[in-house]
Amino acid sequence: GHCARMRREFLSNPAVQTLLADRAVTHEFHRDTGGKINDFHGERLRARLFLSRYGIFATPTLLFLDAGAEGRTHAVLAGVPR
């Protein structure tokens, strides 16, 4: 599917991995499996609440937040990669 394609063509790209290594924390989770995840403040949330909090409605999605305590959203890139 599209998530596997993003992982294969983008996230597994050595140039992308090098760029992200010093600038980002990456985490992959599957919204359909439910369960809980730790948000960026260490709070344990249901995956659906996390998605809702950041306006994520489609997959795959890349969410870019600032490093500050506010966790402001800088970009949400969602949908089908071309």
Side-chain angles (χ1 to χ4, degrees):
H2 299 298
C3 293
R5 182 176 174 195
M6 179 181 280
R7 191 179 317 109
R8 182 180 66 248
E9 295 179 8
F10 180 71
L11 296 174
S12 294
N13 181 315
V16 172
Q17 290 179 344
T18 299
L19 179 68
L20 294 177
D22 295 333
R23 297 178 175 98
V25 175
T26 59
H27 181 74
E28 178 180 352
F29 68 92
H30 302 270
R31 72 180 189 154
D32 298 331
T33 59
K36 292 187 175 185
I37 61 169
N38 291 329
D39 74 359
F40 300 104
H41 302 289
E43 182 182 351
R44 207 100 173 110
L45 298 173
R46 291 206 167 277
R48 291 178 196 267
L49 179 59
F50 178 86
L51 297 171
S52 176
R53 178 179 288 175
Y54 291 101
I56 298 170
F57 58 89
T59 59
T61 298
L62 296 175
L63 175 67
F64 295 92
L65 303 168
D66 70 8
E70 304 86 30
R72 289 178 299 207
T73 304
H74 286 282
V76 177
L77 306 175
V80 179
R82 295 184 188 245

